[in-house]
Amino acid sequence: MSRQANRGTESKKMSSELFTLTYGALVTQLCKDYENDEDVNKQLDKMGYNIGVRLIEDFLARSNVGRCHDFRETADVIAKVAFKMYLGITPSITNWSPAGDEFSLILENNPLVDFVELPDNHSSLIYSNLLCGVLRGALEMVQMAVEAKFVQDTLKGDSVTEIRMRFIRRIEDNLPAGEE
Amino acid sequence: MFLPSQGWPLSPPPIHPDLLAASPSPQFPSASYLTSLGSRPENGRCITKLENMGFRVGQGLIERFTKDTARFKDELDIMKFICKDFWTTVFKKQIDNLRTNHQGIYVLQDNKFRLLTQMSAGKQYLEHASKYLAFTCGLIRGGLSNLGIKSIVTAEVSSMPACKFQVMIQKL
């Protein structure tokens, strides 16, 4: 009986399970620490934001993508490069608003929610809210103020998970007076 | 490297005195998280939480990891599994050195612990190391717990990024 027989193939799956379980433990802990789900959602968003503002640097360093010229291009990079790189999935981009400032990311399967079931008393918990924070934080660092929120979630019985992204404005660099 | 070819029996009880000493030596601020637990209540609480999170993850992970493996021979076999397979899966490397006194104390030494490699190697951040180790302590404890071994796991760093985990088996 060899214990190591199927190591190579297993190891990748195990890493994703470590990731999923660790995220689960994090959310569980937040649920213990805060009284209501809204506070947990807020904390997840905040943690995500803090991850995002750092992650963008890692992303730009690794991915070699250049400047995006419009929001559509940004959407493509997020879905095809960023999600692929960090979560191993490629969400599809749909539901563009006529003005081109809103779109949806559809996640067929969300690696964060493997093994997860929401208990009845946590119906307003947005389990994967960390992702919204990450998107918001990362884009803020490249001069884009956006709003990200979950509008559909498989954990709540929807058939897919949908993150709605809305472009708010371009952040202008405010250089301190006298500096150029 | 890892396992001496002539078999397991390792140098019997050479547990490093620092590990057992209650008070840290003056020139090396010990990062053993039990000591910091007493000194700063806020810090201690966050470490307990991290440890508990690790415990839960360890439980889940070991269950999925061992479902197709052969039954373990004994405690030592389990510890070797933790040091090799489990560690490789989680941290992409093996434990560099495993020592035991054959009386339920194991010391796992990792000379380049993955969660500490991004930190400055000097002494500057030594006191913060315990926060980075608590989760892993829980991971080991949770894994062992689901394999039927009750234990207390503590960690210590004297120079980054090397660290030692001490596992004290609680006899049932």
Side-chain angles (χ1 to χ4, degrees):
Chain A
M1 294 256 200
S2 96
R3 195 169 284 143
Q4 286 101 327
N6 42 11
R7 270 270 282 299
T9 50
E10 283 288 280
S11 122
K12 203 170 177 184
K13 207 175 101 214
M14 291 303 295
S15 304
S16 93
E17 287 176 358
L18 170 69
F19 175 66
T20 307
L21 288 169
T22 307
Y23 186 72
L26 172 76
V27 179
T28 312
Q29 186 60 49
L30 286 173
C31 286
K32 282 184 197 153
D33 289 355
Y34 292 91
E35 304 229 322
N36 58 56
D37 292 349
E38 278 71 29
D39 288 345
V40 176
N41 297 341
K42 214 180 290 168
Q43 282 304 318
L44 284 172
D45 181 78
K46 199 163 127 193
M47 293 169 101
Y49 175 83
N50 288 326
I51 292 173
V53 298
R54 291 168 175 76
L55 195 66
I56 185 71
E57 196 174 336
D58 180 74
F59 173 75
L60 293 175
R62 281 195 217 201
S63 64
N64 270 323
V65 297
R67 191 177 288 272
C68 293
H69 296 97
D70 55 18
F71 202 41
R72 281 177 190 271
E73 208 177 316
T74 310
D76 261 357
V77 171
I78 291 172
K80 299 200 179 103
V81 190
F83 268 83
K84 182 85 201 140
M85 186 186 286
Y86 293 113
L87 293 176
I89 54 169
T90 309
S92 47
I93 304 164
T94 55
N95 296 340
W96 276 100
S97 65
D101 63 343
E102 277 190 47
F103 66 92
S104 293
L105 290 164
I106 307 282
L107 285 71
E108 300 278 331
N109 56 12
N110 175 0
L112 292 179
V113 305
D114 294 342
F115 324 125
V116 177
E117 267 177 46
L118 279 191
D120 293 336
N121 59 341
H122 284 292
S123 52
S124 52
L125 175 70
I126 309 170
Y127 186 84
S128 313
N129 210 28
L130 188 103
L131 291 183
C132 293
V134 174
L135 289 166
R136 186 168 61 86
L139 289 175
E140 188 175 307
M141 290 297 114
V142 286
Q143 270 75 46
M144 268 183 273
V146 298
E147 178 195 64
K149 60 172 193 274
F150 277 89
V151 289
Q152 287 194 79
D153 195 337
T154 44
L155 282 182
K156 300 198 173 143
D158 300 312
S159 58
V160 289
T161 298
E162 175 179 354
I163 302 176
R164 190 74 181 154
M165 299 279 291
R166 186 168 71 87
F167 179 80
I168 301 172
R169 66 189 165 84
R170 231 186 101 81
I171 302 166
E172 302 296 336
D173 277 329
N174 288 324
L175 289 178
E179 264 180 65
E180 201 48 57
Chain B
M1 255 283 294
F2 185 62
L3 294 176
S5 54
Q6 63 270 40
W8 195 254
L10 306 161
S11 38
I15 299 295
H16 195 278
D18 278 2
L19 286 173
L20 299 172
S23 58
S25 56
Q27 67 272 47
F28 283 104
S30 166
S32 155
Y33 81 85
L34 285 178
T35 43
S36 65
L37 211 138
S39 57
R40 271 194 236 154
E42 182 52 45
N43 206 2
R45 259 208 304 283
C46 96
I47 278 166
T48 310
K49 281 179 185 175
L50 284 167
E51 211 267 351
N52 279 326
M53 286 168 62
F55 182 78
R56 186 66 195 87
V57 174
Q59 281 187 312
L61 215 52
I62 203 84
E63 199 167 278
R64 303 191 62 80
F65 201 27
T66 53
K67 68 179 189 300
D68 298 322
T69 59
R71 185 174 283 274
F72 294 106
K73 278 207 312 281
D74 51 17
E75 196 176 280
L76 192 60
D77 199 25
I78 292 179
M79 291 311 295
K80 285 196 237 171
F81 177 80
I82 297 276
C83 293
K84 293 168 92 178
D85 303 60
F86 189 74
W87 218 257
T88 309
T89 313
V90 180
F91 300 112
K92 310 276 179 248
K93 73 185 281 297
Q94 294 184 358
I95 280 283
D96 296 297
N97 192 342
L98 170 67
R99 287 183 300 168
T100 178
N101 66 353
H102 296 285
Q103 284 162 31
I105 294 182
Y106 296 85
V107 178
L108 289 63
Q109 183 173 335
D110 192 331
N111 294 332
K112 202 164 171 239
F113 184 55
R114 197 121 181 273
L115 302 184
L116 297 179
T117 48
Q118 300 297 319
M119 290 164 85
S120 158
K123 296 208 171 64
Q124 195 180 359
Y125 297 111
L126 214 50
E127 60 171 316
H128 297 288
S130 54
K131 284 177 256 177
Y132 289 77
L133 298 171
F135 184 85
T136 309
C137 287
L139 210 60
I140 301 172
R141 193 169 67 86
L144 288 175
S145 149
N146 260 28
L147 294 174
I149 296 179
K150 205 172 159 222
S151 61
I152 295 173
V153 182
T154 52
E156 179 178 288
V157 182
S158 46
S159 73
M160 306 261 205
C163 70
K164 287 176 188 159
F165 295 92
Q166 185 181 213
V167 180
M168 264 184 281
I169 310 282
Q170 309 280 285
K171 290 288 175 231
L172 293 172

